């Protein structure tokens, strides 16, 4: 009995020491993700291309929704024609942001109308709130069948690895500290045959802002490259105004 009691004390002390060491090795990066409380009213993030056509823009409208089951963040992406490309709904958990629903908008079989297709989420890690080192890999994976060819299947596999602090990011006349993630991606198309293209890149997240920069290169020879930087933030009413101006200008050009 005496020996067992001492062994129990030793085990308890050892576990406590290991837990303390493990806890100390983790870094809390929650503040570098999108500011959920500030996004209760919604806000548009406008990203500008830095490769090729630098006038190209990608817009993401982010808004948080408190629910009885927790806090949710919805992101809607618009292209430079102000058409919806995708909608991502995620849940903000104590451990990180988890994908809950992904809707992808693609042309129908006639190519006339863009319709939403819900993807199957096979791995849901979007952003961890606690990281330890660059060895940890956070997996995001989904697949879907495009409406133009429902016999085919398209999939995306994305691995993120935490790289540590990044360079300061300047936005709206203010500098923000950042953290960096390494990216590894694979995009595949499975029909009668199979095709896959792999890519790599990097993301920066700024404290109190969220994603501010990303770049990706695909193909063995880097045939496909893209990079986007956050240029401005504004309310949805401003995006609606810009869209109305673009549509009006297009109608005048057609007539």
């Amino acid at each position: 009995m005496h020996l067992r009691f001492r062994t129990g004390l030793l085990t308890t002390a050892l576990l406590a020491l290991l837990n303390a060491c493990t806890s100390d090795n983790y870094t809390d990066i929650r503040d570098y993700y999108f500011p959920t409380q500030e996004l209760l009213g919604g806000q548009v993030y406008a990203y500008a291309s830095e490769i090729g056509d630098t006038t190209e823009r990608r817009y993401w409208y982010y808004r948080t929704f408190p629910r009885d089951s927790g806090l949710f963040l919805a992101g809607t992406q618009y292209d430079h024609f102000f058409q919806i490309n995708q909608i991502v709904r995620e849940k903000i958990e104590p451990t990180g942001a988890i994908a809950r629903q992904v809707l992808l908008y693609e042309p129908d079989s006639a190519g006339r109308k863009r319709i939403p297709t819900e993807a199957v989420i096979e791995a849901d890690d979007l952003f961890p709130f606690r990281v330890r080192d660059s060895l940890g890999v956070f997996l995001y994976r989904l697949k879907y069948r495009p409406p133009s060819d429902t016999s085919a299947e398209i999939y995306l596999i994305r691995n993120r690895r935490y790289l540590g602090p990044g360079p300061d990011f300047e936005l709206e006349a203010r500098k923000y500290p950042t953290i960096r993630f390494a990216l590894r991606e694979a995009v595949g198309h499975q029909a009668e045959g199979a095709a896959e293209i792999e890519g790599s890149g990097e993301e920066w997240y700024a404290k109190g802002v969220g994603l501010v920069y990303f770049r990706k290169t695909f193909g063995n020879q880097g045939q496909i490259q893209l990079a986007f930087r956050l240029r401005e933030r504004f309310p949805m009413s401003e995006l609606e105004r810009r869209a109305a101006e673009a549509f009006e200008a297009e109608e005048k050009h057609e007539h």
Side-chain angles (χ1 to χ4, degrees):
M1 294 293 292
H2 187 64
L3 178 59
R4 290 182 181 177
F5 180 68
R6 283 184 173 274
T7 302
L9 284 178
L10 180 60
T11 302
T12 303
L14 181 59
L15 287 174
L17 179 61
L18 288 174
N19 288 335
C21 291
T22 302
S23 177
D24 290 342
N25 287 337
Y26 278 92
T27 301
D28 189 334
I29 58 172
R30 170 67 182 84
D31 291 342
Y32 289 84
Y33 199 52
F34 295 99
T36 53
Q37 293 303 312
E38 294 180 20
L39 293 174
L40 288 170
Q43 194 168 43
V44 176
Y45 283 50
Y47 297 89
S49 174
E50 295 198 325
I51 295 179
D53 183 3
T54 56
T55 64
E56 183 181 353
R57 295 291 184 272
R58 289 186 182 180
Y59 303 98
W60 276 92
Y61 175 62
Y62 291 105
R63 187 173 181 181
T64 51
F65 297 89
R67 295 289 185 262
D68 292 340
S69 56
L71 186 65
F72 293 82
L73 174 65
T76 303
Q77 186 196 62
Y78 299 83
D79 62 19
H80 58 289
F81 297 113
F82 304 99
Q83 293 183 318
I84 296 179
N85 276 342
Q86 60 178 304
I87 297 175
V88 180
R89 296 187 176 97
E90 53 196 82
K91 187 176 183 182
I92 306 301
E93 300 278 12
T95 56
I98 306 299
R100 282 292 172 259
Q101 184 184 43
V102 177
L103 298 175
L104 302 168
Y105 285 72
E106 292 198 357
D108 59 15
S109 57
R112 299 174 182 173
K113 185 173 66 173
R114 296 167 67 89
I115 59 177
T117 300
E118 185 166 0
V120 176
I121 302 171
E122 297 182 319
D124 57 9
D125 284 338
L126 290 174
F127 188 93
F129 290 163
R130 296 178 74 238
V131 292
R132 185 163 54 184
D133 51 38
S134 62
L135 298 179
V137 175
F138 304 92
L139 176 63
Y140 176 63
R141 177 176 181 143
L142 57 81
K143 63 181 180 181
Y144 71 100
R145 295 189 180 277
S148 57
D149 182 8
T150 55
S151 65
E153 182 177 270
I154 296 175
Y155 63 86
L156 166 69
I157 304 171
R158 177 180 297 144
N159 290 334
R160 286 185 173 92
R161 285 191 304 108
Y162 175 67
L163 296 179
D168 285 348
F169 187 87
E170 187 168 347
L171 176 69
E172 299 158 354
R174 179 180 170 186
K175 289 186 177 181
Y176 297 85
T178 69
I179 56 172
R180 299 162 53 228
F181 279 87
L183 295 176
R184 295 287 298 179
E185 291 190 357
V187 180
H189 184 282
Q190 295 177 326
E192 294 180 357
E196 183 178 275
I197 184 170
E198 294 185 355
S200 61
E202 190 170 304
E203 291 177 331
W204 299 353
Y205 290 82
K207 190 172 186 178
V209 180
L211 180 65
V212 293
Y213 172 80
F214 68 90
R215 61 171 177 80
K216 299 178 183 179
T217 302
F218 290 91
N220 295 332
Q221 305 298 323
Q223 301 94 320
I224 303 174
Q225 298 185 33
L226 63 152
F228 281 82
R229 180 181 295 267
L230 180 63
R231 290 299 184 190
E232 53 184 335
R233 295 177 293 176
F234 45 78
M236 173 53 81
S237 58
E238 172 60 18
L239 186 67
E240 292 170 344
R241 185 191 68 79
R242 296 185 187 188
E245 283 187 356
F247 294 149
E248 184 178 346
E250 184 178 352
E251 288 181 356
K252 287 182 179 180
H253 179 73
E254 291 178 352
H255 291 88

